[in-house]
Amino acid sequence: MKIHAKRSVIWVMAALWLATTRAQLVEPYGPVPSKAQMKWQEMEFYLFMHFGPNTFSDLEWGHGTEDPKIFHPTELDCRQWARIARDAGAKGIIITAKHHDGFCLWPSKYSDHTVRESDWKEGKGDVIRELADACASYGIRFGVYISPWDRNHPKYGTKEYNRVYVNTMRELLRNYGDLFELWWDGANGEGPNGKKQVYDFHRFETVARRLAPNTVIFSDIGPDIRWVGNEKGIAGSTNWDLLDTAGFTRGAGSPPTDTLNRGNVNGHRWLPAECDVSIRPGWFYHPQEDTAVKSGKDLMKLYFLSVGRGANLLLNVPPDRRGLIAAPDSASLMAFKQMRDEYFRENLAHRANVTVSATRPGFLPSLLTDGFRFSYWAAPEGQNTCTIEIDMGMEKVFNTVLLQEYIELGQRVRSFSVEVWDGSEYKEVAHGTTIGYKRLLQFPLQHSSKIRIAITDSKSNPVIGDIQLYNCPEIVLNE
Ligand code: FUL
């Protein structure tokens, strides 16, 4: 055990050394991610929680006129939420601190439609505090959704509301520890005075950046994370982390959804996609949907369609009227976790022998199968195609490949194929376009000792972090 631990430390140190000393040797290509965007990308999967008056009224979009006393969870336990999230392998929780009905899950000074006006804990409760503390004690990260659309606030639809929104944001960003993500919904409907708000997003962004420079901000067009263009949890099979946002606005003026889904191959900004999807048909809890919860296998499929296409997965699991995650939802989450553990239990290509079509001094091909993304291999400058042959030394059985670019130096690969040695030649079993942070592809079960990745087109010399091979119990996605 001790020797094993020592070895891992040596491997990590060697990989870090390689990453830092060689980073200068390969020039970045095009836009690259910020540190905060990379930290976010590495989270891969985290939970969304829609909770508030709608949980009790059975609505999806509350009118804002609901009596705050309708909010009365009987057994609210944010530690249960955080524990289930952690056990499911989710790296954080984002909660609807305020949804379109304007109800604040914390006692905001800038609203009289909050938990303070409810009877829950005699008006002395604060869901945001409880959840922030629970996430901290379970070692996961915490973020907030604050709807700019507010169907309750009397100032909505006037200039002053922008100040209210900024103050609201300030309360959340200042008082609840470090938030990993701030979620801006593009919805812009009418408020209590029948008017729509002209949002001052420029000001919102300036304030958020000043208060929380390490918090990534999500919206249709960022500034840090983009919407994936649907609420089904599916990223494009071509998925660029790049987007052109000039001339577009949030909400109705955003880029077409298929552009958001795929990104722009030569986009000017680094804006990776986040796939938001609910485990149930609705975003909020409705008892009649207890029988319509996505299964572990459904979630696994979504994992391949989101994380497996270089995006992050934001899975909504809405707490019920008790203020707990309901049994069917937690059962699916645990099944999903168990499946991920089983699917990716053994990397059959780990430390396998690698031969590349063109070597480059200082970049050992063996770095491609060392299990670390940040110890990367780069093709020589000017070579935008290459082949990578992996020889496992003996016949293995497999059906899934995992590829990673070292995107800190830009996203480059435009097309590639996966080929398997059949004893006399290499035969293509799968092909894809983009790779990005992570790409998963499945294909019919193969028996072979050798596999070849052919990068057939790239914007610049390919820089690949890792290649892994698995024998998954099932093919959930064959495309
Ligand atoms: C949408 C909202 O209108 C839905 O209610 C939900 O919050 C979803 C995540 O975003 O724009």
Side-chain angles (χ1 to χ4, degrees):
M1 190 62 192
K2 260 192 185 160
I3 291 178
H4 185 74
K6 256 192 201 162
R7 257 200 221 144
S8 309
V9 171
I10 291 169
W11 267 100
V12 170
M13 282 175 60
L16 278 174
W17 174 79
L18 279 167
T20 46
T21 52
R22 294 169 325 130
Q24 299 91 29
L25 298 177
V26 180
E27 288 294 316
Y29 184 86
V32 292
S34 67
K35 280 212 172 80
Q37 284 171 321
M38 263 333 288
K39 216 170 156 197
W40 168 86
Q41 186 87 58
E42 284 167 343
M43 290 175 73
E44 295 191 2
F45 161 56
Y46 38 93
L47 300 189
F48 212 178
M49 295 204 177
H50 279 66
F51 188 55
N54 295 339
T55 310
F56 303 90
S57 61
D58 233 356
L59 294 174
E60 278 290 311
W61 282 4
H63 303 289
T65 48
E66 293 78 15
D67 182 342
K69 297 202 174 5
I70 196 178
F71 181 83
H72 63 278
T74 47
E75 297 168 49
L76 185 129
D77 181 5
C78 292
R79 293 181 64 83
Q80 187 242 20
W81 310 358
R83 190 176 60 246
I84 290 175
R86 186 213 45 197
D87 290 352
K91 301 289 187 249
I93 296 178
I94 298 178
I95 187 161
T96 52
K98 179 182 84 152
H99 201 252
H100 308 329
D101 58 19
F103 185 84
C104 301
L105 290 178
W106 77 106
S108 173
K109 275 198 252 159
Y110 304 96
S111 167
D112 55 14
H113 194 57
T114 78
V115 279
R116 190 183 49 232
E117 284 72 37
S118 76
D119 283 340
W120 175 64
K121 294 201 166 174
E122 292 166 356
K124 300 209 170 54
D126 181 343
V127 181
I128 303 302
R129 171 77 57 225
E130 293 194 18
L131 185 55
D133 290 350
C135 287
S137 71
Y138 282 96
I140 60 172
R141 300 176 78 194
F142 177 56
V144 289
Y145 165 119
I146 322 172
S147 170
W149 183 22
D150 192 319
R151 302 177 95 180
N152 171 271
H153 206 286
K155 295 278 193 276
Y156 185 90
T158 73
K159 261 192 171 174
E160 280 166 77
Y161 173 79
N162 285 325
R163 192 156 45 86
V164 171
Y165 187 82
V166 161
N167 284 331
T168 306
M169 218 171 52
R170 191 176 276 131
E171 283 181 326
L172 289 169
L173 293 176
R174 265 200 187 149
N175 302 330
Y176 296 93
D178 278 345
L179 303 186
F180 81 94
E181 184 167 332
L182 170 59
W183 218 91
W184 282 341
D185 198 304
N188 181 356
E190 289 162 3
N193 64 4
K195 292 202 177 126
K196 285 190 181 175
Q197 179 71 30
V198 180
Y199 300 135
D200 189 350
F201 272 116
H202 179 70
R203 187 164 159 204
F204 301 170
E205 190 176 324
T206 312
V207 174
R209 282 280 190 253
R210 202 175 51 231
L211 292 173
N214 299 322
T215 302
V216 291
I217 303 177
F218 164 97
S219 84
D220 302 330
I221 52 167
D224 300 308
I225 311 300
R226 77 171 196 268
W227 183 43
V228 77
N230 62 61
E231 291 180 336
K232 296 190 196 138
I234 303 177
S237 60
T238 295
N239 178 23
W240 291 98
D241 292 325
L242 308 171
L243 193 74
D244 285 323
T245 56
F248 293 111
T249 56
R250 296 179 176 90
S254 71
T257 48
D258 61 334
T259 304
L260 290 171
N261 196 237
R262 284 180 288 175
N264 294 119
V265 55
N266 290 316
H268 288 86
R269 293 179 61 193
W270 187 270
L271 277 178
E274 180 185 80
C275 300
D276 59 321
V277 60
S278 185
I279 198 166
R280 290 163 169 258
W283 290 102
F284 284 88
Y285 177 82
H286 306 288
Q288 66 278 18
E289 292 180 358
D290 279 349
T291 49
V293 175
K294 291 185 175 64
S295 67
K297 189 168 166 190
D298 295 335
L299 299 178
M300 197 65 199
K301 196 165 173 184
L302 289 179
Y303 178 82
F304 272 80
L305 289 165
S306 54
V307 176
R309 289 178 169 181
N312 274 4
L313 174 59
L314 172 59
L315 177 67
N316 181 61
V317 181
D320 64 15
R321 291 179 183 168
R322 295 169 303 167
L324 295 173
I325 293 179
D329 310 55
S330 66
S332 287
L333 284 171
M334 294 311 126
F336 176 38
K337 171 69 166 73
Q338 209 180 345
M339 284 178 85
R340 288 191 334 274
D341 289 347
E342 264 175 49
Y343 274 49
F344 303 109
R345 202 184 56 236
E346 193 193 355
N347 171 12
L348 301 167
H350 192 224
R351 306 231 179 124
N353 213 32
V354 187
T355 313
V356 290
S357 54
T359 54
R360 176 173 179 155
F363 292 87
L364 296 173
S366 58
L367 295 172
L368 287 164
T369 53
D370 66 357
F372 293 112
R373 187 188 62 85
F374 46 89
S375 59
Y376 57 86
W377 171 84
E381 294 298 329
Q383 293 213 12
N384 296 354
T385 61
C386 64
T387 58
I388 301 164
E389 200 178 336
I390 298 175
D391 187 347
M392 293 168 284
M394 60 191 286
E395 191 181 280
K396 304 265 172 157
V397 184
F398 53 88
N399 57 10
T400 304
V401 69
L402 183 157
L403 302 167
Q404 295 194 281
E405 279 185 88
Y406 185 73
I407 55 171
E408 282 86 338
L409 293 171
Q411 189 185 1
R412 302 167 180 231
V413 175
R414 267 198 238 250
S415 72
F416 65 94
S417 66
V418 180
E419 302 161 346
V420 173
W421 181 252
D422 74 357
S424 51
E425 59 175 339
Y426 276 106
K427 290 236 171 78
E428 181 178 296
V429 292
H431 62 264
T433 46
T434 48
I435 296 177
Y437 174 74
K438 187 174 271 189
R439 189 68 205 258
L440 289 168
L441 285 178
Q442 292 202 298
F443 38 80
L445 210 61
Q446 304 292 316
H447 295 71
S448 178
S449 61
K450 289 199 287 188
I451 176 166
R452 188 166 75 176
I453 308 298
I455 300 198
T456 45
D457 192 12
S458 179
K459 289 161 69 176
S460 183
N461 57 317
V463 180
I464 307 297
D466 214 47
I467 301 174
Q468 302 174 13
L469 209 54
Y470 293 94
N471 181 12
C472 297
E474 222 178 317
I475 299 194
V476 289
L477 195 69
N478 195 0
E479 52 180 271

